Amino acid sequence: MENRKSAYGVILIVIISGLIMAYIDAIISPPYFIKSIFKIITFLALPFLLCRFNKSLSFKSVFKLDRKSLKVSLALGIAVYIIIIGAYFTLGGFFDFSNVTKALNSNMGVNARNFVYVALYISFINSLLEEFFFRGFAFLNLKRVFSKRFTYVFSSISFALYHIAMMVSWFDPILFVFIIVSLFCAGMLFDWLNDKYENIYCSWLVHMCANFAINTVGFMLFEII
C-alpha cells in the first residue's frame, strides 16, 4: 500500500510540474535563463521533496553506470541524429520554419547572439534534467507499482504534452502535431532504454544526440552555420 501511495505521489508531482511549466511558458513567458531556473527548481525540488518525506523512493539506482550499454546507446544516438537531420533536409522545404526563430526571440529572448549558450544548456543539462524527471523519477518508480503499459504511456505522454505550451506558436498545425507525436515516440524509446538498463544514462545519451540534431537545425535557422 505504501508503494502505491508513493506512486500516486509521483503521478501528482509530474502533473503539477507540467502545469507549472505550462503556465510559465504560455502565460509568463520569461527569458530563457529565468525559465530554466524555474524548470530546474520544479523538476528537481519537487521530486527530492517527495523523496525526503517518503523513504520508499530512491534515486541512487538511476545513476548507476553500465558501460556496455553506453555503446549501444551511442550507436542509437548517432542513428537518431542522422534521422533528424535527414528528415529536416528531406521535408524541411515543405514547411515554414520562420516562426521558430521569431517565437524564440520574442518569447524567450533567444537569438543568434546567445543561441550557442542555449544550445549547450539544452544538449547537456536540459536533456539530463528531463531524463531524470520523466524517466528516473516517473518511469522507473511507477513501473514497480503499475503495469508497464500504463507506465510507458504515462511517462511518454507527459513528456510530449510538457512541450506543447513551449512550442505551440512555433510551427503550423500539421507539423506541430507531427512533432508532438514524435516526442511521444521518443519518450517510448527513452522508457525502453530505462526499462532495459535500469538507469538514465543510456536514454540521456540518445536524448543528447537528438538535441544535438535539433540544435544543428537551430544553428541553420539562425544562419549561424
Side-chain angles (χ1 to χ4, degrees):
M1 180 63 70
E2 186 63 31
N3 288 338
R4 188 163 287 269
K5 287 182 179 179
S6 301
Y8 286 132
V10 171
I11 292 174
L12 183 62
I13 283 182
V14 170
I15 294 173
I16 290 173
S17 299
L19 292 174
I20 289 173
M21 293 310 302
Y23 180 81
I24 290 171
D25 274 317
I27 306 301
I28 300 178
S29 296
Y32 193 80
F33 174 74
I34 302 299
K35 174 199 162 181
S36 299
I37 293 176
F38 275 113
K39 182 175 179 178
I40 290 171
I41 293 173
T42 303
F43 278 21
L44 289 182
L46 291 182
F48 277 101
L49 185 64
L50 180 62
C51 183
R52 172 75 174 144
F53 290 100
N54 194 318
K55 300 303 181 182
S56 65
L57 294 174
S58 175
F59 302 123
K60 291 182 180 179
S61 62
V62 307
F63 293 105
K64 68 179 182 180
L65 184 62
D66 179 4
R67 294 183 179 179
K68 291 183 180 179
S69 63
L70 292 181
K71 295 179 181 179
V72 175
S73 301
L74 180 59
L76 184 58
I78 293 173
V80 166
Y81 181 92
I82 293 171
I83 290 171
I84 293 175
I85 294 298
Y88 173 74
F89 281 111
T90 303
L91 303 174
F94 296 98
F95 300 99
D96 180 14
F97 287 91
S98 61
N99 282 338
V100 176
T101 51
K102 292 177 182 177
L104 285 171
N105 193 10
S106 60
N107 296 340
M108 302 182 193
V110 177
N111 51 54
R113 294 188 300 275
N114 58 24
F115 185 72
V116 172
Y117 305 105
V118 172
L120 289 172
Y121 168 81
I122 290 173
S123 296
F124 294 102
I125 300 176
N126 188 69
S127 58
L128 178 59
L129 186 62
E130 291 183 356
E131 287 312 302
F132 165 76
F133 185 75
F134 290 105
R135 257 65 67 176
F137 174 63
F139 179 78
L140 289 178
N141 278 307
L142 293 178
K143 79 164 191 164
R144 299 184 180 98
V145 177
F146 299 112
S147 68
K148 282 192 176 182
R149 177 179 296 179
F150 169 82
T151 310
Y152 268 86
V153 171
F154 177 78
S155 173
S156 300
I157 203 167
S158 298
F159 176 66
L161 293 178
Y162 153 74
H163 289 84
I164 286 181
M166 181 197 319
M167 302 190 307
V168 68
S169 62
W170 293 12
F171 309 105
D172 61 56
I174 295 177
L175 184 57
F176 178 74
V177 171
F178 173 77
I179 289 174
I180 294 301
V181 172
S182 298
L183 284 167
F184 174 81
C185 294
M188 296 288 278
L189 172 62
F190 298 152
D191 285 339
W192 176 79
L193 288 168
N194 278 252
D195 193 18
K196 183 175 178 64
Y197 299 113
E198 290 287 334
N199 67 73
I200 64 171
Y201 289 115
C202 296
S203 60
W204 178 37
L205 186 56
V206 178
H207 194 158
M208 194 188 306
C209 289
N211 284 356
F212 285 155
I214 294 168
N215 288 331
T216 301
V217 173
F219 279 117
M220 289 186 279
L221 293 178
F222 277 114
E223 299 181 348
I224 299 174
I225 58 175

